[in-house]
Amino acid sequence: MKLRFAIAQVIFLTLFAAADAPQLSATEAENHAATIDRLYRVDCGHSLANDESVWTPGENKGKSIEFSSTCYLIQHGNEYLMWDTGVPETAIGDPKGWSTLPSLIVYHLDKTISSQLAQIGLKPSDIDYVLVSHTHGDHIGNVGLFPDATVVMQQAEYEWINSPPPSDPNLNTLVQLARKLLGHPRRLELITGDVDLFRDGSVRLLSTPGHTPGSQSLMVHLANTGYVILSGDVAHLEDNFERDIVPALNVDKPESIFSMDRIKEIMREFNAQLFINHDKHQADGLKLLPDYWD
Protein backbone atom coordinates (compact mmCIF):
# COMPACT_ATOMS: atom_id res chain seq x y z
CA MET A 1 0.00 0.00 0.00
CA LYS A 2 1.26 3.46 -0.84
CA LEU A 3 2.35 5.51 2.17
CA ARG A 4 -0.16 8.22 2.97
CA PHE A 5 1.10 11.61 4.07
CA ALA A 6 -0.57 14.94 4.61
CA ILE A 7 0.05 17.54 1.92
CA ALA A 8 3.61 18.89 2.14
CA GLN A 9 4.35 16.77 5.22
CA VAL A 10 7.98 15.67 5.45
CA ILE A 11 9.01 12.45 7.20
CA PHE A 12 12.53 11.94 8.57
CA LEU A 13 13.93 8.43 8.98
CA THR A 14 17.29 7.40 10.43
CA LEU A 15 17.84 3.67 10.27
CA PHE A 16 21.60 3.44 9.72
CA ALA A 17 23.96 6.37 10.13
CA ALA A 18 26.31 6.91 7.20
CA ALA A 19 29.20 7.37 9.60
CA ASP A 20 28.77 3.74 10.69
CA ALA A 21 29.00 2.37 7.13
CA PRO A 22 29.49 -0.28 5.95
CA GLN A 23 27.28 -2.25 8.33
CA LEU A 24 25.38 -4.34 5.78
CA SER A 25 26.28 -8.01 5.90
CA ALA A 26 25.48 -11.13 3.93
CA THR A 27 24.38 -12.76 7.18
CA GLU A 28 21.82 -10.03 7.65
CA ALA A 29 20.70 -10.55 4.06
CA GLU A 30 20.10 -14.25 4.72
CA ASN A 31 17.69 -13.23 7.46
CA HIS A 32 15.85 -10.99 4.99
CA ALA A 33 15.43 -13.17 1.93
CA ALA A 34 12.70 -11.08 0.31
CA THR A 35 13.14 -10.07 -3.31
CA ILE A 36 11.70 -7.59 -5.74
CA ASP A 37 9.74 -9.03 -8.65
CA ARG A 38 11.31 -7.24 -11.59
CA LEU A 39 13.95 -4.65 -12.44
CA TYR A 40 13.57 -2.72 -15.71
CA ARG A 41 16.12 -0.37 -17.28
CA VAL A 42 14.48 2.78 -18.64
CA ASP A 43 16.18 4.92 -21.29
CA CYS A 44 16.31 8.40 -19.74
CA GLY A 45 18.48 10.16 -22.30
CA HIS A 46 22.05 10.36 -23.57
CA SER A 47 24.58 13.15 -23.64
CA LEU A 48 27.74 14.44 -25.24
CA ALA A 49 30.35 16.28 -23.19
CA ASN A 50 33.15 18.26 -24.79
CA ASP A 51 35.87 17.64 -22.18
CA GLU A 52 36.20 14.20 -20.65
CA SER A 53 38.87 15.46 -18.24
CA VAL A 54 36.13 17.02 -16.09
CA TRP A 55 35.25 13.42 -15.18
CA THR A 56 38.82 12.08 -15.40
CA PRO A 57 41.00 14.88 -13.98
CA GLY A 58 44.51 14.88 -15.41
CA GLU A 59 43.50 12.69 -18.35
CA ASN A 60 41.63 13.09 -21.68
CA LYS A 61 41.81 16.89 -21.81
CA GLY A 62 39.58 18.25 -24.59
CA LYS A 63 38.37 14.80 -25.61
CA SER A 64 34.61 14.43 -26.12
CA ILE A 65 32.71 11.61 -24.43
CA GLU A 66 29.21 10.18 -24.68
CA PHE A 67 27.29 9.28 -21.55
CA SER A 68 24.10 7.31 -21.01
CA SER A 69 21.37 8.55 -18.69
CA THR A 70 19.58 5.62 -17.15
CA CYS A 71 16.59 5.24 -14.86
CA TYR A 72 15.18 2.04 -13.41
CA LEU A 73 11.68 0.80 -12.70
CA ILE A 74 11.31 -1.61 -9.80
CA GLN A 75 8.31 -3.84 -9.19
CA HIS A 76 7.90 -4.83 -5.54
CA GLY A 77 4.70 -6.83 -5.25
CA ASN A 78 1.90 -4.53 -6.35
CA GLU A 79 4.04 -1.40 -5.85
CA TYR A 80 6.21 0.35 -8.42
CA LEU A 81 9.29 2.46 -7.77
CA MET A 82 11.26 4.74 -10.09
CA TRP A 83 14.98 5.13 -9.44
CA ASP A 84 15.74 8.60 -10.82
CA THR A 85 13.70 10.30 -13.52
CA GLY A 86 16.26 11.45 -16.10
CA VAL A 87 16.26 14.31 -18.57
CA PRO A 88 13.03 16.39 -18.71
CA GLU A 89 10.48 15.02 -21.18
CA THR A 90 10.23 18.49 -22.71
CA ALA A 91 13.58 17.71 -24.39
CA ILE A 92 12.07 14.93 -26.53
CA GLY A 93 13.18 15.25 -30.14
CA ASP A 94 14.77 18.68 -29.65
CA PRO A 95 17.84 18.74 -31.95
CA LYS A 96 19.45 21.42 -29.75
CA GLY A 97 19.07 19.21 -26.71
CA TRP A 98 18.87 20.24 -23.07
CA SER A 99 21.60 21.02 -20.59
CA THR A 100 22.52 21.46 -16.96
CA LEU A 101 25.81 23.18 -17.91
CA PRO A 102 25.54 24.28 -21.58
CA SER A 103 29.23 25.08 -21.97
CA LEU A 104 30.15 21.51 -21.03
CA ILE A 105 27.44 18.95 -21.77
CA VAL A 106 24.23 18.61 -23.83
CA TYR A 107 21.57 15.94 -23.25
CA HIS A 108 19.20 14.44 -25.81
CA LEU A 109 16.06 12.40 -25.25
CA ASP A 110 14.75 9.84 -27.73
CA LYS A 111 12.07 8.19 -25.57
CA THR A 112 9.95 9.54 -22.75
CA ILE A 113 9.45 7.70 -19.48
CA SER A 114 5.70 7.88 -20.06
CA SER A 115 5.92 6.11 -23.41
CA GLN A 116 8.18 3.42 -22.00
CA LEU A 117 5.91 2.77 -19.03
CA ALA A 118 3.02 2.43 -21.50
CA GLN A 119 4.87 -0.47 -23.15
CA ILE A 120 4.15 -2.56 -20.06
CA GLY A 121 0.70 -1.15 -19.35
CA LEU A 122 1.66 1.44 -16.74
CA LYS A 123 1.01 5.15 -16.34
CA PRO A 124 3.00 7.69 -14.29
CA SER A 125 0.14 7.63 -11.77
CA ASP A 126 0.91 3.95 -11.10
CA ILE A 127 4.29 4.82 -9.58
CA ASP A 128 4.26 4.68 -5.78
CA TYR A 129 7.81 5.87 -5.02
CA VAL A 130 10.40 8.04 -6.73
CA LEU A 131 13.83 7.33 -5.27
CA VAL A 132 16.30 10.16 -5.92
CA SER A 133 20.00 9.32 -6.24
CA HIS A 134 20.87 13.03 -6.13
CA THR A 135 19.48 16.31 -7.40
CA HIS A 136 21.40 17.02 -10.60
CA GLY A 137 18.98 17.92 -13.37
CA ASP A 138 19.59 14.82 -15.48
CA HIS A 139 18.44 12.70 -12.53
CA ILE A 140 15.37 14.63 -11.36
CA GLY A 141 14.12 16.09 -14.63
CA ASN A 142 10.75 14.34 -14.43
CA VAL A 143 9.91 14.23 -10.74
CA GLY A 144 6.86 16.34 -11.60
CA LEU A 145 5.45 13.46 -13.67
CA PHE A 146 4.71 11.63 -10.44
CA PRO A 147 2.79 14.05 -8.18
CA ASP A 148 1.16 11.26 -6.17
CA ALA A 149 4.37 9.30 -5.54
CA THR A 150 6.41 9.44 -2.34
CA VAL A 151 9.73 11.09 -3.19
CA VAL A 152 12.59 9.62 -1.12
CA MET A 153 15.93 11.42 -0.84
CA GLN A 154 18.68 12.04 1.66
CA GLN A 155 18.09 14.87 4.11
CA ALA A 156 21.64 16.13 3.44
CA GLU A 157 20.80 16.50 -0.26
CA TYR A 158 17.58 18.39 0.41
CA GLU A 159 19.35 20.73 2.83
CA TRP A 160 22.19 21.31 0.35
CA ILE A 161 19.97 22.57 -2.45
CA ASN A 162 17.98 24.71 -0.02
CA SER A 163 21.02 26.33 1.63
CA PRO A 164 22.94 29.46 0.57
CA PRO A 165 24.31 28.90 -2.95
CA PRO A 166 27.78 27.35 -3.39
CA SER A 167 30.56 29.76 -4.35
CA ASP A 168 31.54 27.64 -7.35
CA PRO A 169 29.49 29.02 -10.27
CA ASN A 170 28.94 25.60 -11.86
CA LEU A 171 27.72 24.09 -8.59
CA ASN A 172 25.55 27.14 -8.02
CA THR A 173 23.94 26.63 -11.45
CA LEU A 174 23.26 22.97 -10.65
CA VAL A 175 21.75 23.79 -7.26
CA GLN A 176 19.42 26.45 -8.66
CA LEU A 177 18.25 24.07 -11.37
CA ALA A 178 17.73 21.34 -8.77
CA ARG A 179 15.39 23.53 -6.72
CA LYS A 180 13.35 24.30 -9.83
CA LEU A 181 13.08 20.69 -11.06
CA LEU A 182 12.39 19.14 -7.65
CA GLY A 183 9.70 21.67 -6.87
CA HIS A 184 7.64 20.89 -3.78
CA PRO A 185 6.66 17.21 -3.75
CA ARG A 186 3.42 16.58 -1.88
CA ARG A 187 4.89 13.46 -0.29
CA LEU A 188 8.54 13.95 0.59
CA GLU A 189 10.40 11.42 2.73
CA LEU A 190 13.82 12.57 3.90
CA ILE A 191 16.20 9.89 5.14
CA THR A 192 19.61 9.84 6.80
CA GLY A 193 22.11 7.14 5.96
CA ASP A 194 21.19 3.65 4.80
CA VAL A 195 17.54 2.62 4.73
CA ASP A 196 15.95 -0.78 4.15
CA LEU A 197 12.91 0.71 2.46
CA PHE A 198 10.43 -2.13 3.02
CA ARG A 199 12.27 -3.65 6.01
CA ASP A 200 12.56 -6.93 4.13
CA GLY A 201 16.00 -6.61 2.51
CA SER A 202 14.66 -6.28 -1.03
CA VAL A 203 15.31 -2.54 -1.60
CA ARG A 204 18.14 -0.82 0.25
CA LEU A 205 19.14 2.81 -0.14
CA LEU A 206 22.89 3.19 0.45
CA SER A 207 24.39 6.50 1.50
CA THR A 208 27.25 7.32 -0.90
CA PRO A 209 28.05 11.04 -0.50
CA GLY A 210 30.79 12.83 -2.38
CA HIS A 211 29.38 13.56 -5.81
CA THR A 212 26.88 15.69 -3.91
CA PRO A 213 26.44 15.90 -0.13
CA GLY A 214 23.42 13.59 -0.15
CA SER A 215 24.17 11.23 -3.03
CA GLN A 216 22.90 7.69 -2.59
CA SER A 217 22.98 4.38 -4.44
CA LEU A 218 20.41 1.59 -4.45
CA MET A 219 20.76 -2.16 -3.93
CA VAL A 220 17.95 -4.49 -4.95
CA HIS A 221 17.62 -8.24 -4.43
CA LEU A 222 16.20 -10.43 -7.20
CA ALA A 223 15.32 -14.12 -6.95
CA ASN A 224 17.25 -15.24 -10.06
CA THR A 225 19.71 -12.40 -10.66
CA GLY A 226 20.79 -11.89 -7.05
CA TYR A 227 21.92 -8.48 -5.80
CA VAL A 228 22.24 -5.50 -8.13
CA ILE A 229 23.56 -2.08 -7.08
CA LEU A 230 22.36 0.93 -9.07
CA SER A 231 25.20 3.41 -8.85
CA GLY A 232 23.57 6.81 -8.85
CA ASP A 233 26.69 8.86 -9.58
CA VAL A 234 29.00 7.23 -7.05
CA ALA A 235 31.01 6.68 -10.25
CA HIS A 236 30.45 7.76 -13.85
CA LEU A 237 32.67 5.22 -15.60
CA GLU A 238 33.82 1.69 -14.78
CA ASP A 239 37.46 2.76 -15.01
CA ASN A 240 36.84 5.63 -12.60
CA PHE A 241 35.27 3.20 -10.17
CA GLU A 242 38.14 0.72 -10.40
CA ARG A 243 40.80 3.42 -9.96
CA ASP A 244 38.99 5.72 -7.49
CA ILE A 245 39.04 8.64 -9.96
CA VAL A 246 36.89 11.56 -8.76
CA PRO A 247 35.27 14.01 -11.21
CA ALA A 248 36.16 17.68 -10.81
CA LEU A 249 32.52 18.61 -10.18
CA ASN A 250 32.18 16.33 -7.14
CA VAL A 251 31.73 18.33 -3.95
CA ASP A 252 34.01 16.21 -1.75
CA LYS A 253 36.91 14.10 -3.06
CA PRO A 254 37.69 12.10 0.14
CA GLU A 255 34.00 11.26 0.61
CA SER A 256 33.78 10.25 -3.05
CA ILE A 257 36.65 7.79 -2.66
CA PHE A 258 35.21 6.46 0.60
CA SER A 259 31.85 5.89 -1.09
CA MET A 260 33.38 4.07 -4.06
CA ASP A 261 35.40 1.87 -1.72
CA ARG A 262 32.31 1.25 0.36
CA ILE A 263 30.36 0.05 -2.69
CA LYS A 264 33.25 -2.26 -3.61
CA GLU A 265 33.07 -3.80 -0.15
CA ILE A 266 29.30 -4.27 -0.36
CA MET A 267 29.72 -5.84 -3.80
CA ARG A 268 32.16 -8.36 -2.36
CA GLU A 269 29.98 -9.05 0.65
CA PHE A 270 26.79 -9.62 -1.34
CA ASN A 271 28.32 -10.85 -4.61
CA ALA A 272 26.48 -7.92 -6.21
CA GLN A 273 26.64 -6.53 -9.73
CA LEU A 274 27.07 -2.79 -10.25
CA PHE A 275 25.12 -0.97 -12.98
CA ILE A 276 26.86 2.38 -13.60
CA ASN A 277 24.35 4.99 -14.66
CA HIS A 278 26.40 7.07 -17.09
CA ASP A 279 28.75 4.42 -18.48
CA LYS A 280 27.40 4.18 -22.03
CA HIS A 281 29.60 1.22 -22.92
CA GLN A 282 28.13 -0.81 -20.07
CA ALA A 283 24.57 0.48 -20.51
CA ASP A 284 24.51 -0.45 -24.20
CA GLY A 285 24.98 -4.08 -23.16
CA LEU A 286 22.20 -4.13 -20.56
CA LYS A 287 18.58 -5.19 -21.00
CA LEU A 288 16.11 -2.43 -21.79
CA LEU A 289 12.39 -2.24 -20.98
CA PRO A 290 10.21 -4.20 -21.79
CA ASP A 291 12.92 -6.78 -20.99
CA TYR A 292 13.79 -7.14 -17.31
CA TRP A 293 15.78 -8.91 -14.62
CA ASP A 294 13.95 -11.11 -12.12
Side-chain angles (χ1 to χ4, degrees), residues 186-246:
R186 293 204 294 264
R187 298 177 176 88
L188 178 62
E189 186 173 328
L190 299 180
I191 62 175
T192 299
D194 294 352
V195 168
D196 182 345
L197 191 65
F198 297 108
R199 293 179 171 82
D200 63 2
S202 63
V203 178
R204 294 176 184 269
L205 291 154
L206 308 174
S207 175
T208 50
H211 182 57
T212 64
S215 285
Q216 56 184 351
S217 303
L218 182 71
M219 184 165 72
V220 296
H221 185 207
L222 295 132
N224 294 315
T225 306
Y227 288 94
V228 175
I229 297 175
L230 308 178
S231 66
D233 279 1
V234 70
H236 288 70
L237 301 165
E238 188 173 3
D239 185 63
N240 281 23
F241 182 69
E242 291 174 351
R243 297 197 287 144
D244 282 349
I245 294 174
V246 177

Side-chain angles (χ1 to χ4, degrees), residues 12-84:
F12 295 84
L13 294 181
T14 307
L15 297 189
F16 298 95
D20 295 331
Q23 294 298 318
L24 298 175
S25 71
T27 300
E28 182 185 10
E30 290 172 0
N31 295 328
H32 296 279
T35 58
I36 63 170
D37 298 89
R38 294 181 177 183
L39 174 67
Y40 297 88
R41 181 171 72 92
V42 181
D43 183 348
C44 279
H46 55 94
S47 59
L48 180 66
N50 59 30
D51 186 0
E52 184 177 348
S53 69
V54 172
W55 290 270
T56 58
E59 303 175 8
N60 307 305
K61 180 69 176 177
K63 180 182 175 182
S64 62
I65 182 172
E66 288 186 273
F67 291 112
S68 56
S69 286
T70 305
C71 307
Y72 287 88
L73 172 69
I74 297 158
Q75 182 182 354
H76 177 271
N78 62 356
E79 295 180 298
Y80 289 93
L81 303 79
M82 284 296 306
W83 171 247
D84 284 342

Side-chain angles (χ1 to χ4, degrees), residues 116-184:
Q116 291 176 83
L117 291 178
Q119 287 182 257
I120 54 173
L122 295 178
K123 305 180 297 297
S125 59
D126 294 317
I127 302 303
D128 299 280
Y129 293 88
V130 171
L131 310 178
V132 175
S133 68
H134 64 292
T135 55
H136 285 168
D138 55 314
H139 292 258
I140 61 168
N142 296 296
V143 170
L145 280 177
F146 311 101
D148 297 322
T150 298
V151 177
V152 183
M153 62 189 297
Q154 291 284 333
Q155 181 180 347
E157 188 76 359
Y158 184 80
E159 291 178 350
W160 179 57
I161 67 171
N162 288 288
S163 297
S167 57
D168 182 289
N170 285 330
L171 290 179
N172 187 22
T173 297
L174 293 172
V175 164
Q176 290 188 51
L177 179 61
R179 286 199 295 266
K180 177 181 176 181
L181 291 173
L182 182 66
H184 302 282

